[in-house]
Amino acid sequence: MVETNSKKSLVIVESPAKAKTINKYLGPGFQVKASMGHIRDLPSKGLNVDIDNDFAPTYGISPGKQKTVTGLKSAAKDCDELYLATDLDREGEAIAWHLAKILNFPEEKSYRVIFNAITRTAIKSAFAKPGKLNVDKVMAQQARRILDRIVGYKISPLLWKKVAGGLSAGRVQSVAVKLIVERERQIRKFEPKEYWLIPAVFTTDLAGDYSKEWVDFITKEKKDGNTPTIAEQNGWLAERKAFKAELKLVGGEKFHASNEEGVRTIYEGLKKAEFEVLAIEKKEARSHPSPPFITSTLQQTASYRMGFSAKRTMQTAQQLYEGIEVGSMGSLGLITYMRTDSNHLSPEAISEARHYIASNIGEDYLPEKGQIYASRKGAQQAHEAIHPTDVDLTPSEIKSFLTEGQFKLYDLIWRRFTASQMKQARWDITNVELGGQISEGQCIYRTSGRILVFDGFTRIWPVSTNDQQLPSLEKGQKVRAVDISCEQHFTKPPARYTEGSIVKTLEKEGIGRPSTYAPIISTIQDRGYVEQIKRKFYATDLGEVVTDKLNDYFPKIMDVSFTRHMEEQLDKIEEQHLDWVGVLREFYGPFKANLDTATEEMKHAKAETFPSEYTCPKCDAELVYRFGKKGKFLSCSSYPDCKFACPCDRQGKMIEEKPSGHKCPNCGGDMLERSGRFGPFLGCSNYPKCKTILNLDKDGNVLPPKPPPKPTGIKCYKCKEGELVIRESKRGQFLGCNKFPKCRTIVDIKELENLKELQKEGKWPPSSQEEADKILGRKKKSKKSKKKKKQK
């Protein structure tokens, strides 16, 4: 560490929590301040990239950060040395670079310190050997930022003009949407194929007749309304020396039946057949522990096991990394840096894990040497995998200091890391063939069972299994069929993406980087391109329309392999000193040509129609699909001569308006079942002459109409024509002008009696807005706050 006996040193980190934790490890000569994230960026208004001048960026102080910058500048004036201690990834390096530029501190007295964990040892080590800024890493981040700005700033306005306002496009987010849209269409086009199976249940207990008992057991509903689980079924079977098996061969040929006719004869023959054990194979199998977490696998596992969104996982991991108050120990960073794609572990981390395993779990669980895991190609080997900073701080020991979410995630990280350094689990696997003779030839059933011999790493990292326990079997042994069933099945479409599986796919395809997955998933939902229903992603009509437009006119941006290529080029700027300007030039030429073509030729989404299978019920013309504010709908192709239109579902099927049995309370017409932006409702059949609607509750029952506004006799102070009436809202009652929507005056219901008295005394309504605000106790908004609101 640079000598600081009489010197004052300024340390800048990104967050107050991180500053607080680090502060206690440094001596009195250090002052730790937080930049609160980015302090400089490309301003949101304008492109701020000079494309004709080697893509030179124009940076500005980030909104709301001027006060922070002023404070940091003031602190820097009183210091002799500057330590930039932002995160160790590209983003952190860029923040450090921007801080150095803004503070303009002498370079010879400026240092860059990086650490993988916020612990006393890591901090002391980092400050003992400070380095300098990695300009290649900064330029890689800058190129990424400029590239994303060009794509977003150039394409987004095009989407506003050609689809709808408020939309955005992104180099990575648009490809992520495309993956979900393509999966949506695969599911929609999928045609299930029929197939039949003839599973059986056998027992070695030839004297016992369990057939009726088995059928009663598997069809009986439990208190929760469900039938027995696979584990419960296996337990029942094991008690009766029984097991399940699948028919694999008939007459030497692989069994396959696509309809009931092809399976019925075999099924009838099997019900009468006698069975014996034809072959038994026993072998030992080993299960290897998984490597410690990297960012993507942490997000995937937290999603699968705990239902955490990628955003929640990263926010919680950030808290664990920056520091948690742990009783008398103070603020401790509990895990290493959570944005990493490397499986590397330091020798110290491996040694600590091995010591814990030997001392607390047992020498039998400790391999001869530490486990080393290979990272994927392109991973940052200087980084470490995510692991606890102190493996001796077990989850149960510090549970009382953590929130529920923090405990769950820390427990997951701790167990995965500890298990990664333990021995393999060993299993005895038994594969069995059973045979029975029918007129079509010999029928062979196969089954297997797995018994845990040594639990190994699964003692810390439990592995769920539905393996059945086989009874003692010998070749030539007779077995009895407890149940043989004939089952119809259908092939299933590809599974919808979840947060875990979309992250896995993005990582596999080389799209984006660990730190970008969570914001990408949030953005594509915020823009309305996809939505999550029961943790599964569905593409919206808007997402499909935007994807098609971008596919047609920006094929490279939407191409997975090209996106991967650009990610690799950005990595090479940092790792191989590739010229960042050259990378942007390679991209911009073809992009500009596509942009010019799209600007000239792209049609507005609302002007396009697509044929449907339906005909108009009013004029018999063809119905076509159109795109509107609420998504896709069916409309008469003879529009505007015929104005018939109706909604359709996700698959494009017409949602027919059925009579509800209710009459319109205003005109007596039939009320029809309709679907709108906020779900189903009843609308008058005489629309648009009668615009009456009746809302429905979650069970489809008609909700009573809102009570009419109650008059108060109090004059409205704004319009001077209407009077205030009592209205109902979700939040309760309020006073509003009866001239709404022409006059939108709103007053708190608590003022009712006060205003009545004031009106009696001739003091209401006042002559000006200022007087009214004074009477109602409203604070006048400053020009500054109004300006901020307008900017938002």
Side-chain angles (χ1 to χ4, degrees):
M1 189 183 294
V2 177
E3 189 64 44
T4 59
N5 290 338
S6 59
K7 294 177 181 178
K8 292 182 179 178
S9 300
L10 174 63
V11 181
I12 303 179
V13 297
E14 285 161 290
S15 75
K18 191 175 177 182
K20 182 180 179 182
T21 310
I22 290 174
N23 194 55
K24 71 176 188 175
Y25 298 134
L26 298 175
F30 290 88
Q31 181 183 17
V32 187
K33 293 279 188 180
S35 71
M36 309 298 289
H38 283 274
I39 48 117
R40 197 169 75 151
D41 198 2
L42 298 173
S44 57
K45 288 187 178 180
L47 180 61
N48 291 296
V49 175
D50 190 347
I51 292 170
D52 298 324
N53 185 27
D54 287 341
F55 302 92
T58 300
Y59 291 111
I61 303 298
S62 300
K65 291 299 181 69
Q66 188 59 60
K67 187 177 179 181
T68 303
V69 170
T70 302
L72 292 174
K73 282 184 175 180
S74 176
K77 285 180 183 178
D78 300 330
C79 289
D80 302 303
E81 294 172 338
L82 173 66
Y83 290 85
L84 300 169
T86 50
D87 289 346
L88 69 161
D89 57 6
R90 284 189 193 133
E91 204 77 14
E93 202 75 19
I95 292 172
W97 181 75
H98 284 295
L99 283 165
K101 292 291 182 183
I102 285 177
L103 298 180
N104 198 26
F105 206 84
E107 188 176 343
E108 67 275 10
K109 295 182 179 180
S110 299
Y111 304 96
R112 175 77 169 111
V113 288
I114 58 174
F115 36 83
N116 188 51
I118 305 177
T119 62
R120 184 180 299 277
T121 303
I123 298 301
K124 291 288 186 183
S125 176
F127 278 83
K129 296 179 180 178
K132 293 294 181 179
L133 281 166
N134 184 332
V135 178
D136 285 332
K137 188 179 280 192
V138 173
M139 291 303 104
Q141 193 278 338
Q142 179 171 266
R144 184 182 297 273
R145 182 75 184 94
I146 292 172
L147 186 59
D148 290 342
R149 170 54 67 93
I150 290 171
V151 172
Y153 192 83
K154 294 290 187 181
I155 298 182
S156 297
L158 185 66
L159 294 177
W160 302 344
K161 293 176 184 177
K162 304 295 185 179
V163 182
L167 302 182
S168 70
R171 183 179 59 86
V172 177
Q173 78 170 53
S174 296
V175 179
V177 175
K178 179 183 176 181
L179 291 172
I180 295 171
V181 166
E182 288 180 340
R183 180 62 55 87
E184 187 77 37
R185 288 173 174 169
Q186 289 171 2
I187 293 170
R188 200 176 294 158
K189 290 178 181 178
F190 181 80
E191 293 183 4
K193 292 182 180 178
E194 182 183 9
Y195 67 97
W196 288 74
L197 299 175
I198 311 179
V201 174
F202 296 103
T203 179
T204 57
D205 183 358
L206 302 182
D209 186 358
Y210 304 118
S211 297
K212 185 178 183 304
E213 193 180 339
W214 166 249
V215 173
D216 290 343
F217 173 75
I218 60 171
T219 56
K220 184 180 180 181
E221 283 193 4
K222 298 185 292 183
K223 289 181 180 179
D224 58 8
N226 296 318
T227 52
T229 63
I230 298 295
E232 289 169 339
Q233 291 179 35
N234 287 343
W236 188 97
L237 292 169
E239 290 175 3
R240 292 155 180 83
K241 299 180 180 179
F243 55 93
K244 297 177 185 176
E246 286 286 348
L247 179 62
K248 296 296 182 179
L249 299 172
V250 177
E253 299 290 331
K254 185 178 178 181
F255 171 68
H256 175 74
S258 58
N259 53 57
E260 187 175 7
E261 186 180 338
V263 77
R264 183 56 59 181
T265 306
I266 297 171
Y267 170 61
E268 293 297 335
L270 286 169
K271 287 199 295 183
K272 302 171 186 175
E274 294 183 353
F275 297 91
E276 66 176 46
V277 177
L278 299 180
I280 300 174
E281 179 192 26
K282 293 184 178 181
K283 61 180 180 180
E284 182 184 85
R286 296 172 181 251
S287 298
H288 299 271
S290 297
F293 286 126
I294 58 176
T295 305
S296 58
T297 54
L298 177 63
Q299 291 174 353
Q300 291 164 40
T301 309
S303 174
Y304 295 143
R305 291 202 171 199
M306 305 184 301
F308 279 23
S309 67
K311 184 177 181 180
R312 182 183 178 187
T313 298
M314 295 309 292
Q315 286 176 338
T316 308
Q318 184 90 31
Q319 295 160 5
L320 296 173
Y321 166 68
E322 291 183 344
I324 301 290
E325 289 289 339
V326 184
S328 59
M329 291 185 281
S331 182
L332 297 180
L334 296 177
I335 65 169
T336 55
Y337 192 56
M338 64 286 159
R339 292 186 178 90
T340 177
D341 56 1
S342 171
N343 286 322
H344 171 70
L345 289 172
S346 68
E348 293 78 15
I350 294 174
S351 176
E352 288 174 12
R354 288 176 59 81
H355 182 267
Y356 177 87
I357 293 163
S359 303
N360 297 277
I361 303 174
E363 293 280 357
D364 291 345
Y365 290 86
L366 192 66
E368 289 184 12
K369 57 184 180 179
Q371 308 273 32
I372 296 173
Y373 295 92
S375 300
R376 69 176 180 81
K377 184 181 177 183
Q380 304 281 311
Q381 289 303 321
H383 295 186
E384 274 196 76
I386 305 166
H387 64 81
T389 56
D390 183 356
V391 73
D392 289 321
L393 281 177
T394 62
S396 58
E397 185 180 344
I398 60 172
K399 184 176 182 179
S400 60
F401 304 107
L402 305 177
T403 65
E404 183 184 1
Q406 289 169 348
F407 170 74
K408 284 183 176 180
L409 198 67
Y410 181 70
D411 184 65
L412 200 69
I413 293 167
W414 185 91
R415 288 180 181 279
R416 178 73 164 241
F417 166 67
T418 307
S420 75
Q421 295 304 311
M422 293 174 68
K423 278 187 177 179
Q424 305 163 346
R426 297 199 310 273
W427 307 79
D428 275 346
I429 294 180
T430 304
N431 296 317
V432 180
E433 278 193 1
L434 306 109
Q437 195 71 32
I438 63 172
S439 57
E440 282 76 13
Q442 189 181 44
C443 293
I444 293 179
Y445 276 87
R446 286 180 183 154
T447 189
S448 64
R450 187 169 71 160
I451 298 174
L452 185 65
V453 176
F454 174 66
D455 54 359
F457 75 92
T458 66
R459 181 162 180 176
I460 290 295
W461 188 261
V463 178
S464 60
T465 176
N466 284 322
D467 295 309
Q468 58 183 343
Q469 184 178 337
L470 297 177
S472 177
L473 294 167
E474 295 179 3
K475 185 177 179 180
Q477 182 179 357
K478 300 290 184 182
V479 293
R480 180 175 180 174
V482 173
D483 181 62
I484 296 179
S485 55
C486 188
E487 297 177 354
Q488 182 186 37
H489 295 267
F490 292 92
T491 54
K492 295 180 180 179
R496 293 190 178 278
Y497 284 114
T498 60
E499 287 208 15
S501 61
I502 194 67
V503 165
K504 187 175 183 179
T505 302
L506 291 172
E507 181 190 33
K508 180 184 175 184
E509 296 292 350
I511 300 169
R513 284 297 175 259
S515 60
T516 65
Y517 297 145
I520 286 168
I521 290 170
S522 293
T523 299
I524 62 179
Q525 292 178 87
D526 293 342
R527 294 288 181 267
Y529 297 146
V530 303
E531 58 184 350
Q532 273 198 80
I533 301 174
K534 294 181 179 178
R535 296 177 58 197
K536 294 180 180 179
F537 282 117
Y538 290 75
T540 63
D541 293 335
L542 179 62
E544 293 195 46
V545 167
V546 169
T547 296
D548 289 340
K549 295 286 184 191
L550 295 181
N551 255 338
D552 289 343
Y553 292 95
F554 299 92
K556 274 199 167 183
I557 283 185
M558 299 298 283
D559 181 60
V560 170
S561 60
F562 179 76
T563 305
R564 184 190 308 117
H565 167 71
M566 289 308 301
E567 293 287 0
E568 291 168 354
Q569 294 295 92
L570 292 167
D571 288 342
K572 287 178 182 177
I573 295 171
E574 176 185 345
E575 297 160 6
Q576 300 176 21
H577 315 294
L578 191 66
D579 177 32
W580 69 272
V581 175
V583 171
L584 293 179
R585 281 180 183 151
E586 175 197 344
F587 168 82
Y588 189 73
F591 172 76
K592 179 66 167 60
N594 289 340
L595 185 67
D596 292 342
T597 302
T599 303
E600 187 176 334
E601 298 179 5
M602 187 184 288
K603 290 182 180 178
H604 198 290
K606 292 180 182 178
E608 294 180 312
T609 61
F610 300 93
S612 80
E613 60 186 86
Y614 301 103
T615 54
C616 178
K618 288 191 174 180
C619 70
D620 289 331
E622 181 190 8
L623 288 182
V624 294
Y625 293 111
R626 296 184 190 273
F627 181 76
K629 284 183 180 179
K630 300 173 186 177
K632 186 168 58 177
F633 67 98
L634 285 162
S635 170
C636 186
S637 56
S638 298
Y639 179 86
D641 295 330
C642 176
K643 296 184 179 179
F644 175 81
C646 71
C648 59
D649 63 16
R650 291 179 181 276
Q651 285 71 43
K653 294 179 181 178
M654 179 190 288
I655 299 175
E656 298 182 24
E657 297 177 337
K658 300 175 184 177
S660 66
H662 295 274
K663 294 292 182 182
C664 177
N666 293 321
C667 73
D670 290 330
M671 297 298 287
L672 305 177
E673 294 179 5
R674 288 180 173 156
S675 182
R677 185 178 179 185
F678 302 105
F681 67 95
L682 302 184
C684 184
S685 57
N686 292 325
Y687 179 87
K689 290 181 181 179
C690 178
K691 297 182 179 180
T692 302
I693 66 168
L694 296 177
N695 293 316
L696 304 173
D697 64 17
K698 62 181 181 180
D699 297 319
N701 301 314
V702 176
L703 291 170
K706 286 184 180 180
K710 297 176 184 177
T712 64
I714 302 170
K715 292 289 184 184
C716 176
Y717 68 91
K718 271 189 184 176
C719 68
K720 303 292 193 296
E721 296 175 5
E723 71 170 53
L724 300 181
V725 294
I726 300 173
R727 297 184 185 276
E728 298 279 350
S729 76
K730 288 181 180 179
R731 296 181 181 178
Q733 294 182 328
F734 67 95
L735 299 176
C737 184
N738 64 354
K739 295 295 181 182
F740 178 87
K742 185 178 178 181
C743 177
R744 296 177 178 266
T745 301
I746 291 177
V747 178
D748 195 319
I749 191 69
K750 295 175 184 176
E751 300 289 339
L752 178 59
E753 296 304 323
N754 182 35
L755 296 184
K756 283 181 180 180
E757 289 298 320
L758 290 172
Q759 187 161 288
K760 278 182 186 178
E761 296 169 7
K763 297 178 182 179
W764 185 273
S767 57
S768 67
Q769 174 77 44
E770 288 75 17
E771 283 184 68
D773 287 341
K774 194 172 181 181
I775 292 170
L776 297 170
R778 292 172 173 170
K779 291 182 180 179
K780 186 178 179 182
K781 289 183 180 177
S782 65
K783 290 183 179 179
K784 190 175 180 181
S785 65
K786 284 181 180 177
K787 188 177 179 182
K788 279 186 179 179
K789 192 174 181 182
K790 193 175 180 183
Q791 286 175 345
K792 284 182 181 178

